Amino acid sequence: MRHVIIIGSGPAGYTAAIYAARANLEPLVLASSVEAGGELMNTTEVENFPGFPEGIQGPELMAKMQAQAERFGAEVVYDDVVSVELDGPVKKVTMGSGAVHEASSLIYATGSAPRKIGIEGEQRLSGRGVSYCATCDGFFFREKTIAVVGGGDSAMEEATFLTKFASKVYVIHRRDELRASKIMQERAFKNDKIEFVWNSAVADILGDEAVTGVVLENTVDGSRSELALDGIFVAIGNDPRTHLVHGQLDLTDEGTIWVDGRSSRTSVPGVFAAGDVLDPTYRQAVTAAGSGTIAALDVEHYLAALGEAGAPDATGDQIEGLPEADAA
Ligand SMILES: Cc1cc2nc3c(=O)[nH]c(=O)nc-3n(C[C@H](O)[C@H](O)[C@H](O)COP(=O)(O)OP(=O)(O)OC[C@H]3O[C@@H](n4cnc5c(N)ncnc54)[C@H](O)[C@@H]3O)c2cc1C
């Protein structure tokens, strides 16, 4: 049986693996088949991860994180987890291949997925003008004309934030009123750079190498029109990947995994969460990595408190029965 299994190979999973491996816990990372490396595999330039002043391509950053975890003894398996049994002292994980892995502890770091519009050009031009993260990509749209799709708080926040860079920001919304809170609406209405396109859905995204515009469909009369754009930010919601643990772990009202205060401890002893799957707000690579650190340190303390053999602390020394809440 393993000391720790980590589900997920994004910044949270690999950072947890680096810490757990350096603590001689020989973590098993279940990386998934086609989505190994997580969300950053879908992006090009990452300019805000510390330590890379020139920026780094998303897939290269993830390859470096994986290499760093493997260097210290993490084992990475490219397969999807299809079910988990989290109750009791032994955590059981079943893979798509049928293989079953068992461990004394588990870190759940499956991330979250931005909701997609679900049209052809969206996937093709993702990272080439189609974005799901204003904080990540706003900087690339200086003096450009862009649009935000959505009518909730996060759409208003992204639109307002993007006016720092773009010369013009359209907000495309299906209805003639917003879901966003009054204060967020007022802030957006007052902003001269923001123009609302009401009763409109994006029917197609245009462009060969990069976004050049969108086809809009009027949701009232079905008429179509084109709008020239340099970029489009999709802000229609985000779904934490929690389906494997429904009914086993407590969730928050926002649908993220509930954890105890600033720790990574979930509602089930021995099960820890990290990264975007527990974060309704920040959702950045570096915050996910920090969260992976917390989870690995909490696992070390948990195993040490169990008195499990071979559960040394990060310095290589044995921890003698640390109190349960003594997280970093
Ligand atoms: C297009 C795009 C661009 C972005 N650009 C930036 C940026 O420039 N800078 C920045 O800081 N942030 C950026 N972000 C946000 C950043 O990618 C996330 O905050 C970060 O990846 C979250 O890390 P995570 O480890 O929690 O989850 P993820 O990176 O989503 O990783 C989750 C992992 O869990 C695995 N998984 C899920 N289900 C299973 C299963 N059943 N079995 C096995 N494995 C499973 C997935 O395969 C994946 O490996 C961007 C996001 C997107 C979508």
Side-chain angles (χ1 to χ4, degrees):
M1 190 170 72
R2 300 266 179 172
H3 295 304
V4 59
I5 288 173
I6 298 167
I7 306 180
S9 55
Y14 277 140
T15 307
I18 291 165
Y19 275 76
R22 289 193 73 247
N24 292 335
L25 297 180
E26 297 169 341
L28 176 66
V29 180
L30 304 176
S32 97
S33 49
V34 287
E35 289 176 343
E39 291 290 0
L40 286 186
M41 300 301 280
N42 301 320
T43 192
T44 48
E45 197 79 31
V46 178
E47 290 195 328
N48 53 11
F49 198 87
F52 299 95
E54 313 301 332
I56 182 166
Q57 296 289 304
E60 192 189 344
L61 178 60
M62 296 320 300
K64 282 182 186 289
M65 286 192 200
Q66 177 175 352
Q68 196 172 349
E70 287 176 329
R71 177 181 159 212
F72 297 111
E75 184 186 345
V76 179
V77 168
Y78 297 98
D79 194 2
D80 299 304
V81 175
V82 291
S83 68
V84 293
E85 287 171 48
L86 303 178
D87 250 2
V90 178
K91 315 301 172 194
K92 230 185 209 183
V93 178
T94 304
M95 310 302 295
S97 64
V100 176
H101 301 288
E102 292 182 345
S104 311
S105 66
L106 184 135
I107 296 176
Y108 194 76
T110 52
S112 70
R115 275 184 216 144
K116 307 272 161 68
I117 305 173
I119 50 180
E120 185 273 329
E122 187 180 14
Q123 175 69 25
R124 186 170 51 81
L125 294 167
S126 177
R128 296 186 161 78
V130 176
S131 173
Y132 301 89
C133 175
T135 312
C136 313
D137 296 334
F139 193 79
F140 300 118
F141 292 90
R142 283 182 177 278
E143 298 306 318
K144 303 280 187 200
T145 299
I146 59 179
V148 171
V149 182
D153 273 349
S154 59
M156 290 315 105
E157 197 170 320
E158 302 231 324
T160 307
F161 172 77
L162 286 166
T163 59
K164 287 186 189 173
F165 311 99
S167 53
K168 173 96 191 170
V169 179
Y170 292 100
V171 173
I172 301 170
H173 186 45
R174 303 182 65 85
R175 283 178 278 279
D176 60 0
E177 58 182 358
L178 300 168
R179 266 181 298 111
S181 59
K182 271 274 168 296
I183 183 151
M184 296 299 292
Q185 294 195 25
E186 274 163 22
R187 208 172 289 161
F189 287 144
K190 268 195 216 145
N191 193 313
D192 288 344
K193 285 188 177 177
I194 297 179
E195 181 176 335
F196 285 82
V197 184
W198 301 107
N199 293 319
S200 297
V202 179
D204 200 1
I205 300 177
L206 306 172
D208 293 329
E209 295 301 312
V211 169
T212 56
V214 290
V215 177
L216 296 175
E217 183 172 294
N218 188 292
T219 53
V220 178
D221 62 19
S223 61
R224 287 194 167 208
S225 58
E226 283 190 18
L227 180 65
L229 295 173
D230 301 302
I232 176 164
F233 286 77
V234 182
I236 54 178
N238 201 281
D239 295 314
R241 296 196 192 91
T242 54
H243 61 283
L244 289 172
V245 296
H246 282 177
Q248 298 194 64
L249 296 184
D250 287 353
L251 303 180
T252 65
D253 290 343
E254 282 129 332
T256 50
I257 295 196
W258 178 88
V259 290
D260 184 8
R262 294 182 63 207
S263 82
S264 64
R265 291 188 297 272
T266 69
S267 52
V268 172
V271 180
F272 303 83
D276 284 7
V277 76
L278 62 72
D279 184 353
T281 313
Y282 302 106
R283 292 198 299 260
Q284 291 293 291
V286 72
T287 53
S291 173
T293 304
I294 291 170
L297 294 176
D298 284 347
V299 161
E300 274 188 71
H301 293 179
Y302 174 78
L303 294 176
L306 280 185
E308 182 161 315
D313 74 4
T315 60
D317 300 321
Q318 290 291 325
I319 299 174
E320 298 267 337
L322 263 177
E324 196 205 342
D326 193 6

